[in-house]
Amino acid sequence: MEVKLQVENEILDKIKHTFHSAEVSIPRKQRVEVKLRNDLIHPFLAYLKDTLGFKHLSHISTVDWLEEKEIELVYIVMNYDNLVEVIAKIRLDREKPEIPTLREFWPQVETYEREIHEMYGVNFLGHGNLTDFILEDWEGIPPMRRDFDTVKYAKETYFNRPGREDAQDVRTTITKKSGEEIPELAKVYSVRHLE
Amino acid sequence: MREKETTIYLGPQHPGITGNMMVKLKVTGDTIVRAETHVGYLHRAFEKLMEARTWLQCFPIVCRICVPEPDPNEENLSRVIEEIEGREVPERAKYIRVLVLELSRLATYLLWMGGQSGSMGLYTMPQWTVGDRDYILDLFEQLTGGRVYHMYIWPGGVRRDLPEGFGDKVLKVMDYLEKRLKDYDDLLFNNALFYKRAKGVGVIDKNKAQEWGVVGAPLRGCGIKHDVRIDEPYEVYDKLNFIVPTYEGGDVWARAMVRRQEFEQSISIVRQVIENMPGGDFYNKIPNPLNWRVPPGDAYVKTESARGEFGYYAVSDGSLKPRRVHARGPAYVHGVSLLERILQGANIADVSFIMNSLGTCPPEIER
């Protein structure tokens, strides 16, 4: 096992040597996971890209940790030479998530940041083009946050319009027509149950 | 006389656009000065929906993320769950998964051949390839019960075993497709018109390709040999023999030729899978799916889809439902930042031609 993870361990050592505060681990072959302080993400990705040759940005993902009042940004970058992927994670304050943009690193970052701004409300300082990407003219809390109530939104927006009084619950309609009961098992996931 | 700059909106409904999206073009004469992608017409909030459903209920959702190619989504989500959970998959299930993935790749390439030649006005190809794709869909129907969306691969293996005599049927279709490939060569790939039309169009700079996030056939069309099946073998790809073709040039023609060679390779992989299919179990049963908790953790897995690296990043918090599932499709980069870049200086008539060759798929951008 030790021999197999040689490349991963080399990368781990280099990262640890340069960024002392980073928590580095190897979850499996071809993966290195790094937990960073927020202000270090810029120098860290610059170091990975320019010095260690991690040229390919696989994607940027976001996880909302509502209970911990934090928003996690996950950067996944890959090196085409040794085929290792580094998963870099930072955690921002959920009340006021702000971080300088990474636009100058990879051109596709612009799209990712626009989407994360729209869906999670993270402000990327210096981005310059944080306009609507998928949504149009959205107000209120960003929709991908955990405290956004989809059922409430759907009811207000779609269900109670005139002409849709049956609230579009197919199960209820079928039950009325056929006289059969909805099984207990299915009720758990029924829209009616969520009311 | 100075030429005036005009704005043209291509899409969201347009026969040349591969799905519902809009490209806003600033043109002078026939030449594009600036292109801007507008998406949002197909947003169904899949990632949000998944957070409100149990892990197993996510499967009918993920296959809708890409219409022409749903199987990499199912396979990715299964594998990411298996990786978080540490669940073993039987060898036979892995072989069946590769069979499904490769058949799906062939079906996608057939659809792409139709789209690529349709966008240059060669309408015989779509008639042929869409018809031939139906033979593969027939196979899927027998195997999974669905033609386009299968929901067949799930955590722990696959849903059903191969039907009796299925291997022979697959081999028959493979023989047929191999024979048909000669016709496709005559009509499209060896066609001088196609060469003239596609050579030098939509060029991706080789030195910038990796940095721009180009993956899949467009990357191999730049002469860079990179394929997830080789770089990070998943399922049983490390036990199969196949080559990764590359072409120089980075233009539409190079990408087309890469895909044409891969079509042949896929046929060979399917044959190898049928030949080496082991016996035994096809499913490592999960506990009661309504009360199935995946242990806390996160993982990133990826697949080589017909259009490039397809990845899933999933986070579990130990509850019945996923905390987060993020689908990374190749079109997210190809269809927005890359397309905007390489459309600069192109001809208006080449927009859908280039879009097709990049494998743009709007539902995957919006998810």
Side-chain angles (χ1 to χ4, degrees):
Chain A
M1 205 65 188
E2 287 288 305
V3 186
K4 269 188 186 172
L5 294 175
Q6 197 188 355
V7 188
E8 289 83 347
N9 275 317
E10 270 172 29
I11 293 169
L12 182 139
D13 288 342
K14 277 180 191 164
I15 294 173
K16 269 192 172 170
H17 187 71
T18 322
F19 297 88
H20 300 289
S21 67
E23 288 173 43
V24 199
S25 60
I26 303 174
R28 71 158 168 100
K29 203 177 157 225
Q30 292 184 297
R31 293 279 186 284
V32 177
E33 196 181 300
V34 187
K35 284 181 184 161
L36 279 169
R37 238 173 45 213
N38 291 353
D39 54 328
L40 287 178
I41 190 72
H42 262 75
F44 178 71
L45 288 179
Y47 173 69
L48 280 189
K49 192 182 170 211
D50 300 334
T51 315
L52 298 186
F54 284 77
K55 272 190 179 171
H56 173 60
L57 174 79
S58 276
H59 73 240
I60 308 174
S61 190
T62 324
V63 189
D64 184 3
W65 296 98
L66 179 65
E67 298 80 4
E68 291 151 48
K69 293 192 171 52
E70 281 174 327
I71 282 188
E72 188 174 54
L73 288 183
V74 184
Y75 297 83
I76 301 185
V77 284
M78 189 188 162
N79 188 334
Y80 275 124
D81 300 324
N82 54 29
L83 306 170
V84 173
E85 239 155 326
V86 169
I87 305 178
K89 295 175 177 174
I90 53 166
R91 290 213 174 192
L92 307 174
D93 179 21
R94 201 167 175 279
E95 295 304 313
K96 204 183 172 218
E98 267 184 357
I99 189 159
T101 176
L102 278 162
R103 259 185 93 161
E104 66 272 25
F105 286 48
W106 290 279
Q108 66 269 33
V109 167
E110 187 195 340
T111 327
Y112 282 110
E113 290 186 348
R114 265 171 81 190
E115 192 190 332
I116 294 168
H117 171 74
E118 189 173 56
M119 294 292 178
Y120 287 91
V122 178
N123 190 16
F124 292 94
L125 304 167
H127 183 283
N129 188 26
L130 287 174
T131 46
D132 286 353
F133 181 57
I134 290 168
L135 307 173
E136 208 166 43
D137 210 14
W138 184 268
E139 280 178 355
I141 52 170
M144 279 295 279
R145 286 204 177 192
R146 297 283 288 187
D147 47 359
F148 175 77
D149 192 345
T150 25
V151 178
K152 184 168 161 268
Y153 176 80
K155 271 188 188 165
E156 282 169 8
T157 320
Y158 306 113
F159 275 68
N160 298 324
R161 282 185 298 177
R164 297 206 168 165
E165 285 82 4
D166 67 339
Q168 294 181 323
D169 194 333
V170 186
R171 286 169 228 240
T172 323
T173 318
I174 294 172
T175 326
K176 269 182 199 163
K177 273 188 187 169
S178 66
E180 272 177 49
E181 274 288 299
I182 303 176
E184 281 300 317
L185 194 73
K187 270 184 192 166
V188 180
Y189 299 105
S190 152
V191 179
R192 287 268 153 261
H193 176 77
L194 295 168
E195 273 178 4
Chain B
M1 201 180 89
R2 222 178 111 250
E3 281 190 270
K4 208 178 123 203
E5 197 177 276
T6 323
T7 309
I8 292 179
Y9 294 89
L10 199 75
Q13 269 83 34
H14 188 278
I17 300 270
T18 49
N20 293 53
M21 68 187 270
M22 193 231 289
V23 190
K24 185 179 164 189
L25 304 167
K26 286 239 179 343
V27 294
T28 54
D30 273 356
T31 314
I32 297 160
V33 183
R34 212 162 72 87
E36 212 178 283
T37 314
H38 287 268
V39 293
Y41 302 94
L42 282 170
H43 180 57
R44 288 160 288 177
F46 285 154
E47 289 177 357
K48 183 78 185 171
L49 287 176
M50 281 191 253
E51 290 175 16
R53 275 157 179 73
T54 60
W55 285 96
L56 220 53
Q57 283 176 326
C58 295
F59 280 85
I61 296 179
V62 288
C63 55
R64 265 98 183 161
I65 286 179
C66 188
V67 187
E69 200 187 13
D71 295 296
N73 290 289
E74 296 171 21
E75 198 265 350
N76 261 331
L77 186 59
S78 309
R79 203 144 48 83
V80 81
I81 297 173
E82 283 152 12
E83 194 171 315
I84 297 175
E85 213 194 1
R87 179 174 293 277
E88 289 291 320
V89 180
E91 192 75 358
R92 183 175 174 83
K94 288 185 182 175
Y95 271 88
I96 299 176
R97 281 181 182 186
V98 172
L99 176 69
V100 171
L101 286 177
E102 290 305 321
L103 285 177
S104 138
R105 191 188 312 277
L106 288 170
T108 315
Y109 280 162
L110 285 169
L111 208 58
W112 160 79
M113 280 181 209
Q116 187 74 74
S117 31
S119 62
M120 59 179 250
L122 183 64
Y123 291 119
T124 318
M125 272 303 269
Q127 312 280 348
W128 285 3
T129 56
V130 172
D132 289 344
R133 174 174 170 261
D134 260 38
Y135 290 115
I136 298 177
L137 299 191
D138 286 345
L139 291 176
F140 277 135
E141 193 177 359
Q142 198 192 353
L143 181 64
T144 70
R147 291 176 75 79
V148 177
Y149 302 125
H150 309 132
M151 291 156 270
Y152 176 66
I153 299 172
W154 65 358
V158 291
R159 224 154 24 98
R160 261 178 248 136
D161 204 356
L162 296 183
E164 212 169 296
F166 187 72
D168 295 335
K169 273 190 184 170
V170 174
L171 291 179
K172 254 187 204 168
V173 175
M174 290 306 115
D175 291 343
Y176 171 77
L177 286 179
E178 200 168 41
K179 220 167 64 203
R180 277 297 260 185
L181 195 57
K182 291 191 184 74
D183 296 336
Y184 302 151
D185 277 344
D186 290 343
L187 195 55
L188 181 70
F189 298 109
N190 292 342
N191 190 336
L193 278 176
F194 178 60
Y195 181 81
K196 275 200 163 178
R197 182 80 165 72
K199 195 77 194 157
V201 171
V203 181
I204 300 171
D205 186 354
K206 184 180 176 175
N207 303 321
K208 290 278 179 195
Q210 293 185 350
E211 224 167 287
W212 287 355
V214 183
V215 289
L219 185 67
R220 294 189 284 277
C222 293
I224 301 167
K225 200 170 176 173
H226 170 66
D227 189 313
V228 184
R229 292 176 291 178
I230 299 279
D231 296 344
E232 200 184 305
Y234 50 97
E235 309 297 0
V236 286
Y237 279 109
D238 46 351
K239 292 174 192 163
L240 302 166
N241 288 320
F242 61 99
I243 55 160
V244 179
T246 54
Y247 271 79
E248 292 291 334
D251 48 15
V252 175
W253 187 78
R255 298 199 269 279
M257 291 317 280
V258 167
R259 290 193 175 111
R260 189 236 167 267
Q261 304 294 341
E262 277 176 15
F263 193 84
E264 242 172 357
Q265 293 301 317
S266 278
I267 293 177
S268 139
I269 293 175
V270 170
R271 284 189 179 134
Q272 289 174 47
V273 168
I274 296 286
E275 198 182 312
N276 301 325
M277 181 73 71
D281 266 350
F282 60 91
Y283 177 39
N284 177 7
K285 201 171 178 328
I286 58 165
N288 176 10
L290 291 173
N291 193 22
W292 178 40
R293 286 169 204 276
V294 175
D298 66 328
Y300 176 65
V301 299
K302 51 186 185 173
T303 307
E304 184 72 27
S305 76
R307 288 159 303 116
E309 176 190 333
F310 215 111
Y312 264 65
Y313 177 71
V315 184
S316 171
D317 52 8
S319 69
L320 290 170
K321 297 162 184 175
R323 166 68 65 161
R324 175 86 166 103
V325 179
H326 181 122
R328 180 247 189 258
Y332 196 89
V333 174
H334 288 184
V336 186
S337 58
L338 180 69
L339 185 71
E340 283 175 0
R341 207 168 276 260
I342 65 174
L343 279 185
Q344 281 176 19
N347 195 298
I348 303 176
D350 288 335
V351 177
S352 60
F353 197 53
I354 293 172
M355 274 182 87
N356 265 302
S357 85
L358 291 178
T360 315
C361 182
E364 189 181 290
I365 303 175
E366 299 162 33
R367 311 178 310 277

